[in-house]
Amino acid sequence: RDGLAVSGEFIPYGRQIIEDDDVAAVVSVLRGDWLTTGPTVVAFEEEFAAFVEAPHAVAVSSGTAALHLSALAADLGPGDEVIVPALTFVASANAARYVGATVVFADVDPRTWLIDLDSVRELITDRTKAIVGVDYAGAPCDWPALRGIADAHELVLIEDAAHAPGATINSRPVGSIADFTCFSFHPVKHLTTAEGGMVTTTTVERAARLRSLRGHGIANDFRARESAGTWEYDQRELGYNYRLPDTACALGLSQLHKQPRWLARRREIARRYDQAFSGMPHIETQVVPEGRESAWHLYPVRITAPDAAEARARAFSHMREAGIGVNVHYRPVYLNSYYRDLGYPEGLCPEAEAIYSGLLSLPMWPGLTETQQDRVVSTLEAALRG
């Protein structure tokens, strides 16, 4: 569906925007010599690294692949503990499980809905090997503080910035602070490659390891062998096929150039929502602390009525019936069946569970019109009033 249509049509909570120049960029690669592992991958990596002011960027097949490769490159494994916020998508925690590590869930701050620093400090043991911070909804975690905690305990710091390309803290972009920062290019994200992701990292050695791991653990890829005029390669460790093709990178590169305009629009939409909800009963919005600028992948609200879970369910149904594609991001990870079967109990992170009971994600994407946004606000107000 177009999503830019007049009031009365379905309004999704998020969607991609594909324009003629995006199509032309992909077609240009389709007509060229390289469909995968070619020069467009390198160009996308270099321009994305410049966008987030990171030393190195490595394109991969998904945001989940980015997290998995970061866990591998950080040498996480069985016996290690990895601290992850409870309020996130399951991939943030699953990456630790992929390498056999134990996930330790941290609670979140009741105002920012981001990982709680005191919870992190209390959870560190002699088996803790890494901290994963998640820029929930696009708002940056307190990365200087997390960096200090990680350095004090000699821990690896991994940032899940799937929601946050373009977000900043103290004017510094996310992607330039943690040891590994992971981005997603799923269609509802800030820019899309259909499916895809990126890892930014701080050293040339880590970048080389990530590139090897995304290509079966082989040190030199096909393009490098072609350039050197050799067929020889050496698999040095067990890797994966997590490559992102040139066709996808062409789309990503075209979309990357639009990010300043699209980020400005997301922030304008967020300001209008903030104003609309500032005096509305039983609605709380995410607090973005001073000095941080959110990229606003999502615009979540928290319904705070006494029967929050029931009120959220009623509002969800009412808005869906009215053609507004609200969603919920997220159930605390450990409440999913897989983690419950591993022994994680309900009540583990009280703040995350309390926030989740009333969470509702409203439409947020650059193509959302003011007319559509006003319809979202009035429909939610009516749902809560009812």
Side-chain angles (χ1 to χ4, degrees):
R1 307 180 71 101
D2 185 348
L4 295 170
V6 296
S7 176
E9 290 200 43
F10 180 76
I11 305 173
Y13 89 87
R15 75 181 306 276
Q16 73 277 9
I17 299 175
I18 302 295
E19 298 172 329
D20 288 345
D21 57 344
D22 299 316
V23 175
V26 176
V27 170
S28 177
V29 170
L30 287 171
R31 289 176 173 160
D33 294 329
W34 293 89
L35 295 185
T36 192
T37 323
T40 311
V41 177
V42 176
F44 184 37
E45 289 174 339
E46 290 177 348
E47 292 205 27
F48 191 86
F51 175 65
V52 299
E53 298 181 13
H56 308 279
V58 179
V60 294
S61 57
S62 69
T64 301
L67 289 161
H68 185 193
L69 293 189
S70 296
L72 288 166
D75 294 318
L76 304 181
D80 296 331
E81 293 180 348
V82 180
I83 297 173
V84 180
L87 192 65
T88 184
F89 184 54
V90 294
S92 308
N94 288 352
R97 297 295 303 146
Y98 294 157
V99 297
T102 299
V103 180
V104 178
F105 289 104
D107 212 341
V108 295
D109 182 277
R111 296 173 67 250
T112 66
W113 309 344
L114 303 170
I115 194 167
D116 183 85
L117 299 180
D118 289 334
S119 181
V120 171
R121 293 186 185 99
E122 292 169 1
L123 293 170
I124 293 173
T125 71
D126 57 3
R127 292 192 297 170
T128 306
K129 185 73 175 288
I131 301 169
V132 176
V134 177
D135 299 321
Y136 175 75
C141 297
D142 188 343
W143 288 109
L146 285 170
R147 178 80 273 174
I149 295 170
D151 289 347
H153 295 273
E154 298 183 342
L155 306 176
V156 176
L157 188 59
I158 299 173
E159 178 175 4
D160 183 339
H163 294 182
T168 63
I169 180 165
N170 300 327
S171 300
R172 187 174 178 182
V174 302
S176 63
I177 303 169
D179 298 310
F180 302 92
T181 304
C182 303
F183 297 90
S184 169
F185 305 139
H186 182 276
V188 296
K189 299 301 198 302
H190 287 71
L191 65 149
T192 188
T193 57
E195 286 281 3
M198 190 79 75
V199 187
T200 59
T201 190
T202 52
T203 70
V204 66
E205 293 81 12
R206 285 175 176 152
R209 180 111 188 268
L210 289 164
R211 289 193 173 94
S212 173
L213 285 165
R214 78 173 172 190
H216 303 282
I218 295 171
N220 54 339
D221 63 25
F222 178 74
R223 186 163 179 257
R225 295 195 297 274
E226 283 285 291
S227 178
T230 181
W231 58 266
E232 292 193 26
Y233 64 85
D234 182 29
Q235 181 191 348
R236 297 180 180 175
E237 61 181 319
L238 183 63
Y240 298 81
N241 183 355
Y242 280 167
R243 298 187 300 262
L244 191 64
D246 278 48
T247 48
C249 288
L251 177 57
L253 194 55
S254 178
Q255 297 246 309
L256 182 60
H257 298 157
K258 305 172 187 186
Q259 287 313 294
R261 170 166 55 94
W262 286 352
L263 279 162
R265 179 60 187 146
R266 285 179 180 273
R267 287 165 178 154
E268 182 182 349
I269 291 168
R271 283 192 294 272
R272 291 191 84 244
Y273 272 141
D274 286 346
Q275 292 168 1
F277 295 128
S278 61
M280 191 177 294
H282 305 306
I283 288 285
E284 283 185 4
T285 59
Q286 184 184 25
V287 174
V288 180
E290 186 176 353
R292 304 185 215 178
E293 192 164 24
S294 177
W296 292 111
H297 162 55
L298 301 172
Y299 191 90
V301 297
R302 179 186 178 187
I303 297 170
T304 58
D307 59 342
E310 291 79 7
R312 191 264 306 277
R314 291 193 300 270
F316 182 92
S317 297
H318 180 91
M319 297 189 77
R320 283 292 182 113
E321 289 168 4
I324 298 172
V326 291
N327 214 322
V328 175
H329 299 89
Y330 301 94
R331 170 193 291 130
V333 176
Y334 60 83
L335 294 181
N336 288 285
S337 296
Y338 170 77
Y339 285 92
R340 293 296 292 271
D341 290 345
L342 290 175
Y344 294 91
E346 188 173 353
L348 187 62
C349 296
E351 292 293 351
E353 292 184 30
I355 293 165
Y356 160 67
S357 68
L359 269 182
L360 193 67
S361 294
L362 306 183
M364 166 58 84
W365 55 288
L368 188 72
T369 67
E370 290 189 358
T371 299
Q372 289 174 321
Q373 188 178 12
D374 291 343
R375 183 177 146 212
V376 171
V377 172
S378 62
T379 305
L380 177 58
E381 186 175 25
L384 293 177
R385 188 168 57 245

